Amino acid sequence: NAGVTQTPKFQVLKTGQSMTLQCAQDMNHNSMYWYRQDPGMGLRLIYYSASEGTTDKGEVPNGYNVSRLNKREFSLRLESAAPSQTSVYFCASRSSGTDTQYFGPGTRLTVL
Amino acid sequence: GESVGLHLPTLSVQEGDNSIINCAYSNSASDYFIWYKQESGKGPQFIIDIRSNMDKRQGQRVTVLLNKTVKHLSLQIAATQPGDSAVYFCAELYNQGGKLIFGQGTELSVKP
């Protein structure tokens, strides 16, 4: 049972490039989340998926898109990366029976 | 908008002492709170949670206290160890979609 996994661990992009961050969970959780964490700050919600087939905007959705591919996988896409998107990105998941979210190890993204 | 915030950004304690990390919240409708520990380079790790119908909850070496009158949350760590050095976040649950709102974080440093 690996919990929540994220790939890649590190990524460097040039302004304007696109990429997709992958997240998968093996806990059979219904809800999944994408957050970003900037230096000295707490996590801010980008998008979430309350259940398979649904997605909703969080606090800072601009510049991102998401896909809930199936119950296990929730991807985050940057279509045209900007330096302001340099951050650490965390994926989390939650069972519908609880309120506790479990986090992955993060993807450290730098946009030059 | 309403938010969750922490009183102190840094806390330094001696090994073996007790630590107290504080958190203020402003959303009186929130009924669930979580403490996370984040070590350098890792994702947030669940420590303990509490619902608003409780004022105290204990775990292994950790206790969370909730004072709804003054909208204050605290995390107490008994006999603090070097392995407790990390950033600690409180988070407040927004009911819609299970969205968490995180505070800024407090960095705990344990001196041997």
Side-chain angles (χ1 to χ4, degrees), chain A residues 10-47:
Chain A
F10 301 94
Q11 184 70 51
V12 178
L13 294 176
K14 294 181 180 178
T15 297
Q17 287 185 316
S18 62
M19 80 160 295
T20 300
L21 282 64
Q22 306 288 351
C23 173
Q25 51 89 12
D26 61 2
M27 298 176 283
N28 201 36
H29 287 173
N30 289 321
S31 301
M32 297 186 73
Y33 306 82
W34 275 106
Y35 293 88
R36 63 177 287 173
Q37 183 178 34
D38 298 304
M41 297 180 66
L43 284 76
R44 292 183 293 170
L45 183 65
I46 305 171
Y47 270 93

Side-chain angles (χ1 to χ4, degrees), chain B residues 7 16 33 47 52 56 67 78 85-86 94 105:
Chain B
H7 289 306
F33 304 88
I47 302 174
S52 59
K56 180 179 180 179
N67 185 330
S85 294
Y94 273 24

Side-chain angles (χ1 to χ4, degrees), chain B residues 40-109:
Chain B
S40 180
K42 297 183 178 180
Q45 177 186 0
F46 171 81
I47 302 174
I48 193 167
D49 58 3
I50 189 167
R51 296 207 173 272
S52 59
N53 61 351
M54 304 172 68
D55 53 20
K56 180 179 180 179
R57 191 169 189 212
Q58 288 184 293
Q60 187 177 11
R61 282 202 305 116
V62 294
T63 300
V64 56
L65 299 178
L66 177 62
N67 185 330
K68 295 181 286 295
T69 302
V70 295
K71 299 177 188 173
H72 185 268
L73 193 68
S74 68
L75 177 70
Q76 300 179 357
I77 305 173
T80 313
Q81 303 168 0
D84 295 326
S85 294
V87 177
Y88 290 81
F89 293 95
C90 65
E92 168 186 20
L93 182 68
Y94 273 24
N95 288 332
Q96 186 180 1
K99 292 185 287 185
L100 289 176
I101 301 298
F102 283 81
Q104 183 181 14
T106 292
E107 183 174 6
L108 176 65
S109 176

Side-chain angles (χ1 to χ4, degrees), chain A residues 47-63:
Chain A
Y47 270 93
Y48 67 101
S49 171
S51 61
E52 187 178 355
T54 68
T55 60
D56 287 285
K57 295 179 180 178
E59 185 183 354
V60 288
N62 291 344

